[in-house]
Amino acid sequence: MKPQEERSKAYFTDFDGRFRGRLSAVIPKTMMAESKFVSAKYDCRAKVEYQKDLMGLLEEGMLLAVRNFKPYETGERYTLMEISRVWPEHFGLRGLRDSSYYPMQFEIIQQSEGDWSTDDRSAMMIQISSIPINYDLLLDEKGEYEFKKGFSYPVIAGEAYILNSGMINRMYNQNIVEKMDVDTSKTTANARADPRLGVIKMFETSKTKIPIYIDFESLVRYHFGVFAFTGGGKSNMLSNILRRLVYHTNDTKIVIFDISCEYPFLLMDVFSDENIPSRILFETKIESAEQLYSSVVKPKKFEKDKRALRGFEAIIRQGKIGHYIRPRFIVPTYREILEDCDKQKKASIGKPTYTEALNAIYQAIIDYISSEGCSESGTIDEDFVKYLDKRACEAMETFKVSDRSNVYAWATTRSTLLKTIEKAKREKAEKGFSTEDIERLIESPNKLTCLSIADPFLIKELAISISAYFLRKRKRQFRVKPYILFVFDEAQEFVPATSEARGIERDCTDKVETLLRQGRKYGLGGCIATQRIAYLNTNALQQLHTYFVGTLPRPYDRSVVSNTFTIDQTILEKTLEFAPGEWLLSSYIATGMENVPIFIKADNAENELEGFLLRA
């Protein structure tokens, strides 16, 4: 074998001599209306000699390599293109016209059927349509390779090669697995043993399994989305990602806003692990495994499986179940007291003595916060109220404020605050979790927190409060680690389109958008999962750097994905053929190749649950 051929075998495959093709055309694509947006500038067509087995071996998503015009002094340079469509053509059938004599049409069709089972290259060929992925493959004379970002015009009529499975593995995984210290030759679907998400949908006929790995740090910090229609495996996929984040990262915390109450079951094996600090909070008190079993949504396969009771008993026994108490008596924060003082000053413009008295009270509050080491966002206590009452009365006396004025009444009436603090204390004794308790829980060694609250108003309130609290705190401290991932399943509830949002929905979509826009600087990540991407806040969507796209049957949803994430429509059309668990993965930062669409088959989370239930 010649050295050139040996090098080609190391990078390319011809399916044991079956594949021989050449680039036949590079067709410029016209940028059309926004609803028909295309991200690739060219449609590259290749013609391949027909082999009867070849149609079963070629798959969408495979990568073609064709030499290009750009010079490379020490070797050869290839333009890489992703196959988007494969179809066979028969010369006799192509020449058939509807205007031909009918019996002749049927005769030609009938005689052509047997040709497909032969290797007759004179009558048949295979056509391939592909899209440049904006990377070049550089192969030098020593056999070293490099991927170079950018598009180079391929040589028309140049020979087309297909990257082999080993090259695909190195291309998508090498940098990531070196960082994770993973051996891809020992890949397994077991989530504890292997951080892979699944396998790449290539070379399936030859039963070659190419795992797909992702940089978890970049995935979390730069946000990601999971989009699929009902039955596409969205919750299954998301639970698998979260399971691997728990098992294979040391500095990542996860907070799930679970309005559908699915994840206590989908992550049952994780919650029941004594070595993983975790907590599930419901809106009502859970006192038994049977009550917990009936309170959560289960996959269809496990709807009547009572083995889950043993898993839930373990979770309850470890004290990992709690419930959220919405406070009826809200104790104000130091910041709110300062804001009240500011309001009084604005209302007292033109009354210098009143303003001076209020300035003295304001400064006294600042001094207390500083001397006691309090946070402005913290709630006040009895000691502060007594201190404030004393200093406010002194200010009223010093500046001779009339005892009939509103300022005097505001400054000297503290009994209501003391009663509110006392009632809030009694309410807290109910042993539920307030918003502040949840925030402290997330800051604790707790690694996984699931808020399974079906009431839309309550869970949106929590999303607003918790996301704002952590963003505000990280900004003050300028901390990045530990990373905190906020997961918004059924995201249309949390980040609806701003044009449609009103009231608490508008507040929630604004807060989550702010979290996604600013959070990456402070180690706060977001995940958005939904069935209907068209209903979401597009400003929030544009912050996502990684996305998993399943079956989206509605054209408008696919159009939003294409416009927002710069994925060509012809690639997205392939998702219509997906079975549950099959995904289009693309990322600007977390995969081995930037913004290259990858067809993958995710590992099945139900297999993890089945294995756990067998052991439970």
Side-chain angles (χ1 to χ4, degrees), residues 456-458 460-462 464 502-509:
F457 190 86
L458 287 183
K460 286 171 190 173
E461 273 191 337
L462 285 173
I464 292 169
R502 301 290 184 273
I504 193 170
E505 289 186 348
R506 182 57 188 255
D507 292 341
C508 192
T509 195

Side-chain angles (χ1 to χ4, degrees), residues 23 25-27 29 37-46 60-66 79-87 128-136 150-152 154 171-172 562 566-574 584 595-597 599:
L23 185 68
V26 178
I27 306 168
K29 283 188 175 183
F37 180 83
V38 293
S39 60
K41 294 190 295 182
Y42 300 100
D43 177 13
C44 301
R45 299 287 179 87
E60 288 91 346
M62 287 181 170
L63 296 183
L64 288 180
V66 177
T79 299
L80 296 179
M81 297 162 280
E82 184 165 4
I83 296 176
S84 59
R85 194 158 60 101
V86 181
W87 71 100
I128 292 178
S129 180
S130 60
I131 294 170
I133 65 170
N134 297 321
Y135 274 93
D136 281 358
F151 171 75
S152 302
M171 177 178 174
Y172 289 133
S562 180
T566 324
I567 302 178
D568 197 89
Q569 284 275 16
T570 54
I571 293 289
L572 281 173
E573 296 299 321
K574 174 66 178 175
L584 172 64
N595 204 30
V596 175
F599 297 125

Side-chain angles (χ1 to χ4, degrees), residues 43-147:
D43 177 13
C44 301
R45 299 287 179 87
K47 297 184 184 294
V48 181
E49 292 183 356
Y50 183 80
Q51 292 273 348
K52 62 181 179 181
D53 299 330
L54 196 53
M55 277 300 297
L57 296 171
L58 293 174
E59 301 172 55
E60 288 91 346
M62 287 181 170
L63 296 183
L64 288 180
V66 177
R67 289 187 182 88
N68 59 50
F69 287 100
K70 195 168 284 189
Y72 182 46
E73 295 178 358
T74 60
E76 297 173 329
R77 187 168 185 142
Y78 297 82
T79 299
L80 296 179
M81 297 162 280
E82 184 165 4
I83 296 176
S84 59
R85 194 158 60 101
V86 181
W87 71 100
E89 280 192 357
H90 191 291
F91 184 79
L93 295 175
R94 189 175 183 182
L96 200 62
R97 297 289 182 267
D98 287 342
S99 58
S100 302
Y101 183 48
Y102 291 162
M104 186 179 70
Q105 290 188 47
F106 285 114
E107 182 69 20
I108 294 173
I109 293 171
Q110 184 177 349
Q111 290 181 4
S112 299
E113 180 187 8
D115 292 342
W116 298 116
S117 60
T118 71
D119 293 330
D120 186 356
R121 303 173 189 175
S122 63
M124 295 168 292
M125 73 163 58
I126 295 174
Q127 296 267 29
I128 292 178
S129 180
S130 60
I131 294 170
I133 65 170
N134 297 321
Y135 274 93
D136 281 358
L137 170 63
L138 280 63
L139 301 180
D140 67 17
E141 295 174 349
K142 298 179 181 179
E144 299 294 326
Y145 68 90
E146 178 187 356
F147 296 104

Side-chain angles (χ1 to χ4, degrees), residues 32-299:
M32 302 173 70
E34 189 170 331
S35 61
K36 297 291 184 183
F37 180 83
V38 293
S39 60
K41 294 190 295 182
Y42 300 100
D43 177 13
C44 301
R45 299 287 179 87
K47 297 184 184 294
V48 181
E49 292 183 356
Y50 183 80
Q51 292 273 348
K52 62 181 179 181
D53 299 330
L54 196 53
M55 277 300 297
L57 296 171
L58 293 174
E59 301 172 55
E60 288 91 346
M62 287 181 170
L63 296 183
L64 288 180
V66 177
R67 289 187 182 88
N68 59 50
F69 287 100
K70 195 168 284 189
Y72 182 46
E73 295 178 358
T74 60
E76 297 173 329
R77 187 168 185 142
Y78 297 82
T79 299
L80 296 179
M81 297 162 280
E82 184 165 4
I83 296 176
S84 59
R85 194 158 60 101
V86 181
W87 71 100
E89 280 192 357
H90 191 291
F91 184 79
L93 295 175
R94 189 175 183 182
L96 200 62
R97 297 289 182 267
D98 287 342
S99 58
S100 302
Y101 183 48
Y102 291 162
M104 186 179 70
Q105 290 188 47
F106 285 114
E107 182 69 20
I108 294 173
I109 293 171
Q110 184 177 349
Q111 290 181 4
S112 299
E113 180 187 8
D115 292 342
W116 298 116
S117 60
T118 71
D119 293 330
D120 186 356
R121 303 173 189 175
S122 63
M124 295 168 292
M125 73 163 58
I126 295 174
Q127 296 267 29
I128 292 178
S129 180
S130 60
I131 294 170
I133 65 170
N134 297 321
Y135 274 93
D136 281 358
L137 170 63
L138 280 63
L139 301 180
D140 67 17
E141 295 174 349
K142 298 179 181 179
E144 299 294 326
Y145 68 90
E146 178 187 356
F147 296 104
K148 198 78 171 177
K149 180 74 173 174
F151 171 75
S152 302
Y153 202 93
V155 175
I156 299 176
E159 188 167 0
Y161 303 89
I162 293 181
L163 266 63
N164 62 29
S165 58
M167 196 63 175
I168 293 293
N169 190 1
R170 293 191 294 271
M171 177 178 174
Y172 289 133
N173 292 319
Q174 185 168 339
N175 294 336
I176 296 171
V177 297
E178 286 177 357
K179 181 178 179 180
M180 291 182 170
D181 192 23
V182 172
D183 184 355
T184 60
S185 66
K186 298 177 180 178
T187 185
T188 172
N190 184 291
R192 282 185 182 274
D194 194 347
R196 78 176 200 187
L197 295 186
V199 295
I200 299 174
K201 279 182 58 62
M202 287 188 202
F203 305 100
E204 292 182 297
T205 305
S206 60
K207 303 190 183 301
T208 302
K209 291 189 180 297
I210 310 171
I212 181 68
Y213 295 88
I214 199 161
D215 184 339
F216 289 135
E217 181 178 342
S218 298
L219 179 74
V220 170
R221 190 169 178 182
Y222 292 90
H223 320 313
F224 67 99
V226 182
F227 312 116
F229 196 60
T230 303
K234 171 176 61 68
S235 299
N236 189 305
M237 178 64 175
L238 184 52
S239 66
N240 250 340
I241 295 173
L242 300 181
R243 184 177 280 105
R244 283 160 173 78
L245 284 172
V246 170
Y247 290 156
H248 299 285
T249 61
N250 297 319
D251 52 6
T252 300
K253 295 174 178 287
I254 300 169
V255 182
I256 309 172
F257 293 92
D258 179 22
I259 197 171
S260 298
C261 301
E262 294 180 285
Y263 290 90
F265 193 98
L266 290 172
L267 295 173
M268 183 196 311
D269 54 322
V270 179
F271 286 116
S272 63
D273 191 327
E274 295 180 353
N275 298 317
I276 299 174
S278 57
R279 191 68 65 101
I280 308 171
L281 301 182
F282 294 91
E283 59 192 288
T284 57
K285 194 172 183 180
I286 301 291
E287 297 181 333
S288 67
E290 289 78 8
Q291 185 183 358
L292 179 54
Y293 180 85
S294 61
S295 299
V296 301
V297 175
K298 296 167 278 293

